[in-house]
Amino acid sequence: MTPYLSIVVPVYNEEGNLDNLMKRLYPALAGMGRPFEIIFTDDGSRDRSLEILKRLANDYPEVRVIEFNGNFGQHMAIMAAFEISRGEIIVTLDADLQNPPEEIPKLVAEMENGHDVVGTIRHNRQDSIFRKSASRLVNITTRKMTGMKMTDYGCMLRAYHRNVVDNINRCSEASTFIPALAQTFAASPSEIEVAHAERSEGESKYSFYKLIRLNFDLMTGFSVVPLQLFALTGIVTALGAVAFALFLLIRRFVVGAEVEGVFTLFAILFFFIGITIFGIGIVGEYVGRIYQEVRRRPRFVVRRIYGGSDEG
């Protein structure tokens, strides 16, 4: 029977959460009375995650497991599952149980109201102050840079219609951010609030550096605003430099030669150098993305698929 609902779960070193996740996820889906499938992608886990996933695939006919040949990242893990998913509605879910699986029926109900993408907003978020602050910064920056109307970019509990997932599968970007990419294909997006819980086992996979990388991926992957802002800053700075040069020239004739302003000139010079280096870094991000695309390397490598008819 073709599943109506596909649940996509990327997994990286989540051995402590997988059994509890399945104990809660399976009853939540079974209670909806619709045929479903659960697709786990093991993203090169170094713990017992793959062993547990293979056992789940053996115990549950609805479970399929994709084994990656290394660590390719959360979004590539989701993309691989999208490619083999069969459901009319596809829901992405993290394995850490911070977003309760019991919330999935709410997303499906919202989809059945006529929406093709349903995002979520974490209510009473149970993360550290650092994670909340960093996430808020990413959300604000991304909204300003891309113009997309999304409240909570970091919550991966989201639902997509088959048409949107098919369009995502046609994309071959080496680096992407799936919620933002889906938003570009959505005709009727929506957002709902969902519950949020503390992580019971393991640690977050997003370090401060990865959050910065995520922000750069969002900015450079879905907008040219950073380049435009840098160009505008360059124009304003150049005009300010001309005005200041004229001021110094007039001052020299009025006041005479002086050396007291040499440190001011050094400060201004360092300011200009800082802007230049920052701009080169932004341009470098875009050039790096172009380099990744023109190499045409595989975005991910699937070693094996377990469960269902694809096992081999």
Side-chain angles (χ1 to χ4, degrees), residues 12-82:
Y12 180 66
N13 293 343
E14 295 286 359
E15 63 178 0
N17 291 313
L18 290 174
D19 282 323
N20 289 332
L21 170 65
M22 200 61 186
K23 288 177 182 177
R24 294 172 58 181
L25 176 60
Y26 194 89
L29 298 176
M32 297 177 65
R34 302 287 187 90
F36 63 89
E37 65 177 354
I38 305 171
I39 305 173
F40 293 98
T41 303
D42 180 70
D43 188 23
S45 296
R46 295 188 177 94
D47 59 5
R48 295 177 53 253
S49 293
L50 180 59
E51 176 185 335
I52 296 172
L53 291 176
K54 288 192 288 186
R55 171 168 52 79
L56 294 177
N58 185 62
D59 293 343
Y60 297 89
E62 298 89 351
V63 172
R64 287 191 289 172
V65 176
I66 302 172
E67 180 187 357
F68 269 2
N69 190 32
N71 179 248
F72 294 91
Q74 180 187 40
H75 293 276
M76 290 301 105
I78 293 174
M79 292 290 280
F82 277 177

Side-chain angles (χ1 to χ4, degrees), residues 16 23 76 91 102 128 136 143 157 253 266:
K23 288 177 182 177
M76 290 301 105
V91 177
E102 293 81 6
S128 65
R136 190 176 298 114
R143 280 198 297 270
L157 177 58
F253 283 114
F266 271 117

Side-chain angles (χ1 to χ4, degrees), residues 108-123:
V108 175
E110 187 73 2
M111 290 286 290
E112 292 175 340
N113 285 335
H115 301 285
D116 52 4
V117 171
V118 177
T120 55
I121 305 168
R122 287 168 284 192
H123 177 68

